[in-house]
Amino acid sequence: MDCVVFAKTGEMEREQWLQVRKNGIGGSDIPAICGLNKYKSPVDIYLDKIGALEQPDVQSEAAYFGSLFEDTVAKEFEKRIGKKVRKRNALLQHKDYPFMLANVDRLVIGERAGLECKTASEYKLKHWEEDKVPQEYILQCQWYMAVTGLSRWYIAVIIGGNKFITKEIHRDEEIIDYLIEIGRNFWENHVMKNVPPPVDGSDACTELLNSLYPRSIEGAEISLDEEAYNLISKREQLKCLSKELETQISQCENKIKDMLKDNEIGVVKDRKVIWKSCVRTSVDSKVLKSKYPEIYEECIKTSSYRKFDIKEEK
């Protein structure tokens, strides 16, 4: 491999490993920096690298079981594909770009290749069908090849606990050059300069802002600049456009419903339209409160959140 060892991880505790990985960008970071991680935004990665993001005491369920079954996936890969793999208990570093780090799952013996082990729910099966591989994992594997200098990366996944799939990803210099440039810009112009990347419209960024600023200071008021006013104007234009699009969508749906009448299913070419009768059961909170106030008090749940709204000053 054409890389250096940044730190040995064989005896390293999880907390120490989390601290060490702040010294650069890893394979699981780069998809988020490129905007291709549903659960993390570039701002998440930035705050993590500067030590401003509080780390959870325990791993998420998905991360926990992913780590737990890593060895199982690797052994199944050896059994089914007939290739031997070994652990590399080290955080690897690019020889020319120190910010580029890689904590690889396995290396393939006798080949210039590595192995990434994954687990996924049954709902993700469609993302792995035929020659498909989720984009974030392609970028992760290309990043590992960039750091190590290896030529290809295998990826093995257990889906739904009972379906085993393997894919092979070949080194792509064009993608690697792109990732290096994106990573270098992020590290040098944001992390090193303590300048956060711009927020985006992803769910991950929304959740992060809600967690960073969970409560407002009652009555506190500040003056916003011209950029804020321009964003407000853009938001108003987009909401008008969104409302018009929603009306057009509803019109299409209503016309189709009128065609279906009391039929439940309609078929046309490769599409199946379903307008099905459903029953929903819910608790009438007003009746519950009126007839059984004590039970109501025991069952109510109070949560806090920040409501976002824009009003025109009169």
Side-chain angles (χ1 to χ4, degrees):
M1 290 192 299
D2 196 14
C3 60
V4 298
V5 173
F6 180 78
K8 294 182 179 180
T9 59
E11 304 294 327
M12 196 176 285
E13 296 291 334
R14 180 172 180 269
E15 287 300 321
Q16 186 182 359
W17 177 77
L18 289 173
Q19 289 301 317
V20 170
R21 64 188 296 275
K22 295 181 189 296
N23 290 280
I25 297 172
S28 61
D29 298 324
I30 195 66
I33 293 172
C34 294
L36 289 175
N37 187 318
K38 182 179 178 181
Y39 305 104
K40 287 186 179 180
S41 70
V43 180
D44 279 286
I45 304 302
Y46 165 78
L47 292 175
D48 176 46
K49 298 307 175 184
I50 67 170
L53 191 64
E54 186 177 344
Q55 294 291 343
D57 295 332
V58 296
Q59 291 176 288
S60 67
E61 286 282 275
Y64 170 77
F65 283 107
S67 298
L68 186 66
F69 291 122
E70 180 185 307
D71 195 49
T72 300
V73 175
K75 288 179 178 178
E76 194 65 22
F77 175 83
E78 289 184 318
K79 178 181 176 181
R80 297 197 184 201
I81 308 302
K83 299 177 184 291
K84 294 293 182 181
V85 300
R86 64 180 175 87
K87 283 187 177 182
R88 185 68 171 97
N89 294 317
L91 186 61
L92 305 175
Q93 184 181 50
H94 195 286
K95 63 182 182 64
D96 297 322
Y97 302 112
F99 67 88
M100 295 180 65
L101 303 177
N103 186 49
V104 305
D105 287 343
R106 298 290 189 280
L107 296 173
V108 180
I109 298 173
E111 294 186 26
R112 290 183 55 78
L115 170 67
E116 179 67 15
C117 303
K118 297 290 186 186
T119 57
S121 72
E122 185 68 27
Y123 300 108
K124 300 292 181 68
L125 178 60
K126 62 182 180 180
H127 300 299
W128 294 90
E129 292 174 339
E130 298 175 353
D131 60 347
K132 293 179 184 176
V133 177
Q135 285 185 309
E136 62 266 36
Y137 297 153
I138 293 176
L139 296 190
Q140 183 178 6
C141 293
Q142 290 292 344
W143 186 261
Y144 289 156
M145 285 184 271
V147 172
T148 61
L150 298 180
S151 303
R152 63 181 176 276
W153 220 264
Y154 298 97
I155 185 165
V157 56
I158 293 179
I159 300 177
N162 58 10
K163 189 172 182 63
F164 187 83
I165 293 176
T166 60
K167 300 293 176 71
E168 184 177 343
I169 300 171
H170 291 272
R171 185 183 179 96
D172 188 315
E173 296 297 343
E174 186 175 348
I175 293 177
I176 285 174
D177 289 343
Y178 167 78
L179 294 180
I180 291 174
E181 186 57 35
I182 290 288
R184 178 164 52 188
N185 174 68
F186 182 85
W187 189 257
E188 294 179 356
N189 295 323
H190 295 292
V191 177
M192 298 303 294
K193 293 181 179 180
N194 256 20
V195 177
V199 298
D200 55 36
S202 66
D203 291 341
C205 193
T206 300
E207 290 179 9
L208 177 64
L209 291 172
N210 288 336
S211 65
L212 287 174
Y213 315 110
R215 289 183 175 276
S216 59
I217 302 173
E218 187 174 355
E221 182 175 314
I222 63 169
S223 296
L224 300 175
D225 57 17
E226 188 70 18
E227 181 186 3
Y229 189 82
N230 292 335
L231 288 170
I232 291 169
S233 298
K234 182 178 181 180
R235 176 181 179 270
E236 290 171 350
Q237 294 171 7
L238 290 171
K239 285 183 75 68
C240 288
L241 178 60
S242 175
K243 187 174 182 179
E244 174 61 28
L245 290 174
E246 287 176 1
T247 300
Q248 292 183 32
I249 291 170
S250 293
Q251 183 182 31
C252 291
E253 291 177 351
N254 287 339
K255 287 185 175 181
I256 297 171
K257 287 176 182 178
D258 189 45
M259 294 175 186
L260 282 171
K261 296 184 171 42
D262 56 1
N263 294 291
E264 187 173 280
I265 299 172
V267 179
V268 55
K269 295 185 178 180
D270 61 345
R271 298 289 195 274
K272 179 183 286 188
V273 183
I274 302 170
W275 190 21
K276 185 176 182 179
S277 302
C278 300
V279 176
R280 182 175 62 186
T281 302
S282 61
V283 175
D284 189 326
S285 60
K286 290 183 179 180
V287 174
L288 179 63
K289 185 177 181 180
S290 174
K291 292 188 174 183
Y292 310 102
E294 292 182 359
I295 296 176
Y296 173 81
E297 289 297 327
E298 289 181 9
C299 295
I300 60 173
K301 180 181 179 181
T302 302
S303 59
S304 63
Y305 66 97
R306 294 182 67 176
K307 181 182 178 182
F308 184 82
D309 194 12
I310 297 176
K311 295 181 179 180
E312 186 175 352
E313 290 285 352
K314 295 183 179 179

